Amino acid sequence: MQGEGDSKRGAFHLVRTWIVAAVLLALAALSGPAAMAQDPLPAIQLPVIQLHAGEDAPAIAPYVRYTRDGGDIAARPPAQVLAATSKRIEGRGVHFGPPGDRTTVALKVRNAGAVAGSWILTTGRGSLSHFRLYEVEDGRLELLVDGTDPEAARENLRTYQAFSTELALEPGQEKTILIDFLSENSTYMPLRIETYGTFFKDRRTNIAMVSGVVLGVAVLIFLNFMFFSITGHREFVWLAVAEAFFALNTIHSEGYFTIFFLPDAPLLGVAIEDSIKCAFAVAMTQFARSFVRTAETFPRRDLVLRTLIAAGLAVIVLQAGLAFYDQAFREVLHIGTWFITVAVALFLPFIGFAAMRQIGRQLWPLLVGWGSLALFIIYAAIASMGVFSWLPVNWHLAGPVGLFESIMVTLALGLNLKKIRAAQQEADANYARSMAERLAISERAKQLAEEKAFALATVNSQNALLHASGHDSRQVILALNSAIDVLKRSDETGAHRELTEILQSSSNYLSEIASTTISGAAIVGNESGFIALSAFKGQALIEPLMMMFRTLFAGKSLTLTAEVEDHAIIVSDRPMLMRALANLLSNSYHYTEAGGAAVSLRVDAGRAVIEVSDTGVGMTQAMVRQLADEAVPRAREEGAGQGTGSGFRSARRLIERLSGSLEIVSTSPAGTRVQIVLPCAQAVVTPCTTSELDGALPGWRVLDFDRREAFRAALKSARAPQARVVAATYDDTTVTRGRLSETVGMMLIKPLCCEMRDHPALAAVSEEV
């Protein structure tokens, strides 16, 4: 039973096995042809972009898969191509790395809505060496956009302004898109899926942006040429050229040259793009050299700029043969274009900063404009070259950034012109002020000439008064001498002897005063340097001045006192010294309203010290400095209607001619004190003869003028020049002084003394000999 059961059970299993095999064979017969007609399933599943009618697709980057150097996808099954596109995009920008490799891009879309919808898939690119866009349908590739066909590329670009295609999907329908492209300059491809409204709105916005940028640049170019026509500065021309190339770059980077002129010449488009970039860099660099004058201000930096200009021009020339170069050299040339552009963009901000420090802070827009463009170009170069594929890049910003840079640079030119204009206006104002000052000086000179004429007239009047006073004194002296003569004749017994002696002494004293007064008046204004030395007592110098000024001071209720050291004898030119003291006393008289003045004379270490002090209004420190400065023609108190200080300066010149010094010791509202220091003063003198003095003065020839015949003969035979001849005489009159000043160098008034040889006027020449 057991064996029978086992045999039955085995037969059942065998039947069941045959039944299953038959079913499988039947199913295989039914489904075999269809299954063999299908391709294997792809190794990966593409993420699906969910679309809804009337809405734009989300960011595409997360849904894109790609492969590089995939070869010609048209020769392979779609499933195999899709299986190879396994790389994901890092970052938000659709960028596939460095250029030069053929790239295959895959994406899948589905209408997830309840109604049918239409969208536009745009690549954002219009200049590619190779471009084809396929749709995977029923296991095969359907070519939608062929960028290698010039007519098809032209039609597509003129319709969409970039390689694009329409996506029309029914509810739940899916489509798989493949893009096969090769780029010579950048693999950046801003893929977007947008509704018709959004797509054409973006196109209109882009056109408006490009038009605005180009219009703004055109206005700047016009302004630069207008400034050039006004100023003749070449930097305006170079800036206009740079802005023109920037406008061309804006139009070209947006694809308009490619769309309308070069849809079938991608390499020519690349050559034009790189040439425009280099031309812009060269023109802007030359503008910097011309505007900042780097050859003069920054020679080392100028060498770098010239090197960049030469490199840029070389790249522009090499672009003419771009179609004949291999892929490697084209990549090197494209990298070189970016290198020059980035190098210029990096270096110009340093030039702008240096120009701010060297020329002026008004050039701050140079730093701002060049700095902004540098940042954008550096960023765009890195992103465009695919150094970091995750970096997003928006070439539409190149227009606004470049326009901002052009505005800033033009603003820098305007601010610099404003500063130059301000400096010119300041120079004109300074010139006008200088001319006004010169006119004022001229008017002042005219006024001073009038004052001088008036002063000379006053001096001449005073001299005439002194002469008249002297002649009147001479008349009085003559009358007095007549009276003395009568007394002497009638006084046979000698009864009036004492009276006669007193009158004779008074006559002699008055004669001396008259002689000194007339001589002092005559030497005013005489700048010949001729002096007449004599040995006289201090009283003989001071007492005549007291007699002349005491009455004047008393008329203003002022006091005038004198203190003279006994036995003080001075070797000097008494009339000249008296005139200097008269000037000082005259100043004290004019500027003292209460109190009075005092004169003192003493001998100190072989020098005569004469001080004149008063209780006048004093002088300011500015006035003191003006009196000490000979460059000031006439010292004047601030706000004073008349000039002051001429008497002091005249007195100082006279004292200096006598080898002395005159200085203001102190001055304040309480009064002024001046001091005269003269050489060659002592208590006693030693008489000597003319011959003795002649032998004691080497370099001088001392002749006796009172012996006229001998004087003339000796003067003719003298070997020394007339400037080294000294005339000794008793005749201290104006006539004799004037005659001798024309024939000899100095005059000595008898009686002579040995101390005369120590006077600096004589000792200086003796020491030289």
Side-chain angles (χ1 to χ4, degrees):
M1 293 295 294
Q2 180 69 29
E4 183 179 356
D6 292 336
S7 61
K8 291 181 178 180
R9 191 179 301 111
F12 175 77
H13 284 294
L14 180 62
V15 172
R16 187 178 62 179
T17 302
W18 282 103
I19 292 173
V20 172
V23 172
L24 291 175
L25 287 173
L27 290 175
L30 293 175
S31 60
M36 291 176 65
Q38 291 182 354
D39 292 332
L41 293 176
I44 64 167
Q45 294 292 330
L46 292 175
V48 181
I49 304 173
Q50 303 293 338
L51 302 178
H52 298 272
E55 299 179 6
D56 299 331
I60 294 181
Y63 302 93
V64 172
R65 298 294 182 267
Y66 73 97
T67 182
R68 290 172 61 87
D69 199 15
D72 186 6
I73 66 174
R76 291 179 293 164
Q80 184 181 355
V81 174
L82 290 174
T85 56
S86 59
K87 295 183 180 179
R88 299 171 180 266
I89 293 178
E90 298 179 1
R92 296 175 295 175
V94 183
H95 202 297
F96 305 103
D101 292 334
R102 197 162 175 173
T103 306
T104 303
V105 182
L107 57 91
K108 181 182 288 188
V109 296
R110 176 190 294 124
N111 184 355
V115 296
S118 296
W119 297 265
I120 293 177
L121 168 64
T122 178
T123 64
R125 294 291 297 271
S127 176
L128 294 165
S129 300
H130 173 82
F131 179 85
R132 284 180 179 177
L133 187 147
Y134 300 92
E135 177 184 350
V136 180
E137 184 176 0
D138 296 332
R140 65 182 184 275
L141 296 179
E142 181 180 352
L143 182 61
L144 301 181
V145 180
D146 187 3
T148 60
D149 183 357
E151 294 300 327
R154 182 181 294 108
E155 181 180 357
N156 187 272
L157 291 175
R158 290 181 178 179
T159 302
Y160 299 105
Q161 300 183 13
F163 287 127
S164 306
T165 187
E166 180 182 5
L167 297 177
L169 300 175
E170 296 295 330
Q173 184 181 359
E174 293 183 356
K175 282 189 177 182
T176 301
I177 304 297
L178 288 176
I179 299 174
D180 179 21
F181 75 96
L182 175 64
S183 176
E184 298 289 343
N185 54 3
S186 175
T187 60
Y188 171 66
M189 184 175 289
L191 291 170
R192 294 189 303 275
I193 299 176
E194 299 173 332
T195 62
Y196 276 81
T198 301
F199 177 79
F200 287 107
K201 180 181 178 181
D202 291 344
R203 291 292 92 195
R204 289 191 296 270
T205 301
N206 186 57
I207 293 172
M209 184 272 293
V210 173
S211 300
V213 170
V214 172
L215 179 62
V217 172
V219 171
L220 294 177
I221 292 174
F222 172 75
L223 291 176
N224 286 318
F225 276 108
M226 184 179 67
F227 289 151
F228 171 72
S229 64
I230 295 173
T231 63
H233 294 172
R234 290 180 296 177
E235 56 264 25
F236 290 103
V237 175
W238 286 114
L239 180 59
V241 172
E243 291 169 344
F245 280 115
F246 162 71
L248 292 175
N249 182 72
T250 301
I251 297 173
H252 181 77
S253 63
E254 295 297 335
Y256 294 109
F257 283 166
T258 303
I259 292 169
F260 296 103
F261 304 106
L262 306 171
D264 57 344
L267 283 180
L268 181 57
V270 173
I272 293 175
E273 178 184 355
D274 289 349
S275 298
I276 291 175
K277 285 185 174 66
C278 286
F280 169 76
V282 167
M284 187 60 73
T285 303
Q286 183 59 34
F287 159 76
R289 294 185 67 241
S290 178
F291 180 47
V292 184
R293 294 180 177 85
T294 54
E296 302 172 2
T297 54
F298 312 112
R300 294 183 179 178
R301 295 184 177 94
D302 183 70
L303 179 60
V304 176
L305 294 179
R306 284 186 293 171
T307 303
L308 291 174
I309 290 174
L313 294 176
V315 169
I316 293 174
V317 172
L318 290 174
Q319 293 295 333
L322 191 65
F324 303 101
Y325 306 143
D326 57 17
Q327 178 63 30
F329 187 74
R330 286 200 294 265
E331 291 180 5
V332 170
L333 199 60
H334 182 67
I335 293 173
T337 299
W338 275 112
F339 175 79
I340 294 170
T341 307
V342 172
V344 170
L346 277 174
F347 199 67
L348 287 183
F350 291 98
I351 298 294
F353 180 75
M356 284 179 57
R357 299 184 60 183
Q358 185 76 13
I359 300 176
R361 294 185 178 180
Q362 76 277 5
L363 298 184
W364 62 266
L366 280 182
L367 181 61
V368 174
W370 284 339
S372 63
L373 186 63
L375 293 176
F376 179 78
I377 289 179
I378 294 170
Y379 178 83
I382 295 174
S384 176
M385 294 297 295
V387 177
F388 302 104
S389 59
W390 49 268
L391 279 178
V393 59
N394 186 356
W395 279 113
H396 298 304
L397 294 177
V401 171
L403 179 61
F404 174 76
E405 182 258 358
S406 299
I407 291 174
M408 287 293 101
V409 175
T410 305
L411 177 61
L413 285 174
L415 292 178
N416 193 58
L417 284 179
K418 180 181 178 182
K419 184 177 180 180
I420 293 174
R421 179 60 180 168
Q424 183 179 2
Q425 290 178 347
E426 183 179 358
D428 292 341
N430 292 335
Y431 178 75
R433 190 181 305 112
S434 176
M435 293 301 295
E437 290 176 356
R438 290 184 180 182
L439 181 61
I441 291 173
S442 178
E443 294 292 333
R444 181 60 184 153
K446 181 179 179 181
Q447 181 182 357
L448 290 176
E450 294 176 353
E451 290 182 1
K452 181 179 180 180
F454 176 77
L456 288 175
T458 303
V459 169
N460 291 332
S461 176
Q462 291 177 354
N463 289 340
L465 180 62
L466 289 173
H467 276 288
S469 176
H471 286 294
D472 290 343
S473 298
R474 291 286 177 88
Q475 296 298 323
V476 173
I477 293 169
L478 288 174
L480 189 58
N481 287 333
S482 298
I484 293 171
D485 187 55
V486 171
L487 282 175
K488 286 182 178 181
R489 291 178 181 179
S490 62
D491 189 17
E492 296 179 354
T493 61
H496 304 289
R497 182 178 179 181
E498 292 184 1
L499 176 61
T500 301
E501 291 178 355
I502 292 174
L503 292 176
Q504 185 66 54
S505 176
S506 299
S507 174
N508 294 337
Y509 186 66
L510 287 175
S511 178
E512 187 176 359
I513 291 176
S515 176
T516 303
T517 301
I518 294 174
S519 298
I523 64 174
V524 174
N526 183 6
E527 299 293 339
S528 66
F530 184 83
I531 61 175
L533 296 179
S534 63
F536 54 88
K537 293 183 178 182
Q539 291 88 345
L541 174 68
I542 303 300
E543 288 182 4
L545 292 171
M546 296 297 104
M547 294 179 62
M548 292 170 60
F549 283 94
R550 192 168 278 131
T551 302
L552 291 174
F553 273 72
K556 290 180 64 174
S557 300
L558 302 175
T559 61
L560 180 60
T561 61
E563 183 179 352
V564 182
E565 185 177 302
D566 294 337
H567 310 295
I569 300 176
I570 306 172
V571 176
S572 188
D573 190 327
R574 184 169 59 161
M576 190 179 293
L577 184 55
M578 184 178 290
R579 185 64 191 192
L581 288 170
N583 287 344
L584 298 178
L585 288 173
S586 178
N587 285 343
S588 297
Y589 169 75
H590 282 98
Y591 297 103
T592 302
E593 301 299 330
V599 181
S600 66
L601 187 153
R602 72 179 189 277
V603 176
D604 183 12
R607 301 179 302 169
V609 180
I610 305 173
E611 291 188 354
V612 178
S613 59
D614 60 46
T615 57
V617 296
M619 294 176 286
T620 63
Q621 292 300 317
M623 181 64 183
V624 173
R625 288 192 295 270
Q626 290 185 54
L627 289 175
D629 188 0
E630 291 292 342
V632 180
R634 185 174 176 86
R636 178 182 296 274
E637 288 281 10
E638 185 177 355
Q642 297 180 347
T644 59
S646 60
F648 178 86
R649 285 184 171 174
S650 177
R652 184 172 61 188
R653 285 193 293 271
L654 293 173
I655 297 300
E656 289 175 351
R657 284 169 60 181
L658 297 174
S659 303
S661 62
L662 171 61
E663 63 176 349
I664 301 172
V665 178
S666 64
T667 181
S668 67
T672 301
R673 182 165 65 95
V674 298
Q675 184 183 81
I676 297 174
V677 178
L678 294 167
C680 205
Q682 49 276 318
V684 294
V685 294
T686 304
C688 68
T689 63
T690 302
S691 60
E692 290 176 346
L693 197 58
D694 181 46
L697 291 173
W700 290 96
R701 182 69 188 278
V702 182
L703 302 178
D704 192 344
F705 180 71
D706 295 332
R707 300 169 61 186
R708 301 299 173 86
E709 295 298 330
F711 176 80
R712 294 190 187 96
L715 189 61
K716 290 181 180 180
S717 63
R719 295 182 179 178
Q722 292 182 354
R724 296 291 186 266
V725 176
V726 180
T729 179
Y730 285 105
D731 189 3
D732 187 15
T733 61
T734 304
V735 176
T736 302
R737 180 187 286 263
R739 290 170 58 187
L740 290 177
S741 66
E742 297 175 358
T743 58
V744 298
M746 192 175 297
M747 180 176 172
L748 298 179
I749 308 300
K750 297 177 181 179
L752 304 178
C753 64
C754 295
E755 284 71 21
M756 288 181 175
R757 65 187 178 186
D758 298 327
H759 194 277
L762 291 170
V765 176
S766 300
E767 291 175 0
E768 291 177 3
V769 176

